[in-house]
Each structure stands twice: as structure tokens, then as C-alpha cells.
Amino acid sequence: MKFICAIVACILLYSCSSTLSVEDERTIDIELIPQKVVFEDIFGYIEVVPLETNDSSLITWDFHKELTDSDIYIFDFGANAAFRFSQKGTFKNCIGKKGQGPGEYPFAYGFDVDAKSNRAYIVSALGTLYEYTLSGEFVRESQLPWRYNYHQIHQLSDGNWASWTYSDLENPALSIINRERDSVLCSFDVPVHIADRMFSQPKFFKYNGDLFVGFGFDRNVYHLSSDTMTVAYTWDFGEKNISENMLAEYDKMRDGGDWTDLQDNFRNDSRRIYQLSSHCSNNRYDYVLVYYLEKIYDLPENERKSEGYHIFHDKKTGKTYVVDKFSNGLTGMDVYGMTDDYMLCRIEMESLPLYEEYLPEGMKLSDIDPDDDNPVLARFYFKK
């Protein structure tokens, strides 16, 4: 009877239709303790990809990243536009522009790419969806249904759209919009806490053509369709799972509380709070980055380093790797995305000497200015 009640509750919570799609839900059990991991346990070789730096492509905050077979796309929060680079890091063109002219917008957060249809999309905070070709030519704009403060937009395989808005906790933040872009098909009551509002954006990613999403303080990773939201897999850290009761404490404190004080209290909580980030999957691995908040925000911005772990779950062998640093010293990976062949990461500039042997032919470390140049990326190819 309890099992039946649980199924009914899931239908009411996550489904827009009368049926709940069933997945082979997996729980990944992990002891959150770093292991001694040899680089070759997971990867075969590295290719360093310096992103070209010029006046038209200067990146200040790589807010959203999208990968296609031929290109790397970075939506820069500072420029409020997307930059398109080749797989080798050559700058191709800019997409979108902040302004008041045709194809321009007052301010935007969200970005998505559909390489097959030669389209890129930028959504403004006010809910206008701007459509461009991949070469940056403006095509048209569409006014989306009213939602408070659009932050992300991602197209589903059937042409409908998943949108994320920065709403209060009482109203759904995740909605499905029809392909015509003029009405909401349904909304999902996702388990979002005030901590998610303060510290994180949900991570949407595509795998085998389907759309998934993971949150900063929810151990579940969800599979999205136009009418259902189901748990695809769950990270279980045992005794180190973040307490739902603790998160609920801060949810109650938000009413009438000072936002800055709430953030400070959360970071300094003696229970050591970590966040889940950079969710992604391919045919072999599920990946998540776990990092502790107080080790980041208690330092000046230019000195912040995340204390945390890269977690790779091998779906083929069942083995899970918890990595803070590989045995050869390589670390400092900020994950941009993952394909079946490789993981694309940004290298922390202070770690760059460790990658010197992997630089493109003819390039030296002295050719890279860590203060002024664009990020240097590394493509970590998975061991076959």
C-alpha cells in the first residue's frame, strides 16, 4: 500500500499527464572520501585548446556552455552575448547583442543551440526569445508566456521548450512551453530550496537526444519530456547526504530575513554544506562535481578555489571514482560538457604548467597571458 501511495504522489508531483513514465532509476552509492586515482583509470590522452583572444571574443564570465560536433559555444555574462569557437579554439563569430535595435535585448541569461537546424537561441529576462543562425544573423523574436525573470531555455527533442525562471518558492520555476512559444503546456513542482536561489543555477544537459537537469542541493538527476519529469538517477552519499531538514530551516528563514545574512549563515553552517554542480552523462559515465561552499566564498574572488571532488560513476563496471587530484597532479577542472569521446574542461591558470606537454604544436606557456587571455580548455579523452 505504501508503494502505491508513493507512485500516486510522484504522478501528482512530476507529471502533467495522467501517467507516469517509468525509468530504470538508479541509485549511485558513494563514500564521499577522495581516492587515489590514476589519470589512466579514466582517460587516455589530453588535447589542450586555448580559446582565441581578440577584441571581439573576450570572455569575462563563462555563464553557459554548449558543445556541438563542430563548435564550442560560450554565453558570456559580462558581454551578455554568445561566442562561437571551433573545436580547436579559433573564434568564429558572436551571437546576440545587448541593445535596443533589431535582434538586440536589454538583458539576457539563457542560451541554447540546435546545430542540426542551424539555430541559436537567447532568452531575455523579460521572456523574449531571440532566434539567430549559428553565424549570428538575427532571424526573429518571440514573446514567451509571462513568467517572472526567465533564466534558461532549452529545446526538447519534440520541439517544445523547457524554461527555468527565477520565481519564488511558492510558484513553479520549471515549465514546458509549446513549440509555437505562446503557451505553457505544464509546470513541474521541482524540489527547490532557497539555497538553490542563493548559490546555484540548475544544470541542464542533453544525453542521447534527451534533456536532463540536476540541481545544486538535490541528489536526484531528472529526465524531462514535454509531459513528465522522472528521476533518472540519484547520488547517495550516505551519512554525508545534506539534510532536507536543514535546508528546510533556511527556507523558513527567508521570510523577512536579510538576504546577505542568510547567505553568510548558510555558508558558515557548522554542518559543512556542499553543492552539486556540472551534472553531465554519456554512454559510459555519470559525472557530478561536489564542492564545499565555505571554502569558496570566504576568500576574495580572485583567490577562490573550490574544495571538492570530481565524481565519475562508470556505468559499465559499476565502479565510482572520487577524485580531488589525479596521481599525476592534474586537477582544477571546470567542466564545460561531455560527449561519449571526451570531457571538455577549463584549466585553472595556476595549473597550466602541468599541461605544458599537451599544448598545441609551436605554442609555449609564455605565449599565454593568464591575466588578459581567454580561458584555456582541455579535452580529456576517455580511455577506450
Side-chain angles (χ1 to χ4, degrees), residues 37-47 67 207 278-288 310-316 319 321 323 326 333 335-345 378-384:
V37 180
V38 178
F39 180 81
E40 290 76 14
D41 287 342
I42 301 174
F43 300 107
Y45 64 99
I46 299 173
E47 179 185 14
L67 306 181
Y207 163 52
S278 302
H279 299 270
C280 50
S281 292
N282 64 14
N283 286 332
R284 181 72 182 267
Y285 293 100
D286 296 316
Y287 169 86
V288 70
H310 302 277
I311 298 178
F312 299 84
H313 173 67
D314 189 333
K315 292 182 278 191
K316 181 179 179 180
K319 183 175 177 59
Y321 301 91
V323 183
F326 288 101
M333 302 186 303
V335 176
Y336 272 30
M338 193 161 72
T339 71
D340 284 340
D341 296 322
Y342 62 83
M343 172 177 276
L344 185 67
C345 308
R379 196 172 282 117
F380 294 79
Y381 286 89
F382 292 105
K383 182 180 67 175
K384 298 297 184 181

Side-chain angles (χ1 to χ4, degrees), residues 86-261:
S86 73
Q87 290 288 5
K88 296 294 184 181
T90 303
F91 175 65
K92 287 188 171 183
N93 58 271
C94 184
I95 302 172
K97 183 180 180 182
K98 190 175 178 181
Q100 298 181 338
E104 298 177 349
Y105 39 82
F107 195 76
Y109 285 107
F111 177 72
D112 195 32
V113 171
D114 182 359
K116 291 182 179 179
S117 64
N118 186 34
R119 289 293 185 265
Y121 304 93
I122 293 176
V123 65
S124 74
L126 298 176
T128 304
L129 185 65
Y130 297 83
E131 182 176 334
Y132 307 86
T133 66
L134 298 184
S135 58
E137 299 166 344
F138 175 62
V139 178
R140 63 170 173 150
E141 65 180 65
S142 307
Q143 186 58 48
L144 301 176
W146 188 89
R147 285 288 187 273
Y148 180 73
N149 205 348
Y150 277 85
H151 269 232
Q152 294 196 54
I153 193 84
H154 299 276
Q155 195 165 32
L156 294 159
S157 59
D158 60 5
N160 294 325
W161 302 83
S163 69
W164 177 261
T165 54
Y166 196 87
S167 65
D168 56 42
L169 294 182
E170 281 73 30
N171 292 297
L174 181 55
S175 298
I176 304 298
I177 298 171
N178 66 348
R179 69 190 67 190
E180 292 78 18
R181 313 172 191 181
D182 58 8
S183 64
V184 174
L185 296 177
C186 63
S187 297
F188 298 112
D189 227 347
V190 296
V192 174
H193 295 280
I194 193 64
D196 291 284
R197 307 296 194 204
M198 293 190 294
F199 294 108
S200 70
Q201 284 272 331
K203 171 60 176 176
F204 290 84
F205 65 92
K206 292 179 181 176
Y207 163 52
N208 283 346
D210 290 338
L211 186 64
F212 295 79
V213 62
F215 299 94
F217 299 93
D218 183 354
R219 293 180 292 105
N220 295 322
V221 174
Y222 299 91
H223 178 205
L224 290 173
S225 72
S226 289
D227 57 3
T228 56
M229 177 178 177
T230 54
V231 176
Y233 55 91
T234 302
W235 300 100
D236 190 344
F237 306 112
E239 294 181 353
K240 292 189 177 180
N241 284 337
I242 296 178
S243 166
E244 282 292 321
N245 290 334
M246 183 204 69
L247 293 172
E249 289 175 22
Y250 287 95
D251 292 342
K252 294 177 182 178
M253 291 168 59
R254 78 186 189 280
D255 297 324
D258 182 84
W259 192 260
T260 302
D261 289 344

Side-chain angles (χ1 to χ4, degrees), residues 39 45-49 328 330 354-360:
F39 180 81
Y45 64 99
I46 299 173
E47 179 185 14
V48 171
V49 184
N328 57 3
L330 294 179
L354 296 171
Y355 296 84
E356 184 171 14
E357 64 180 289
Y358 307 109
L359 290 174

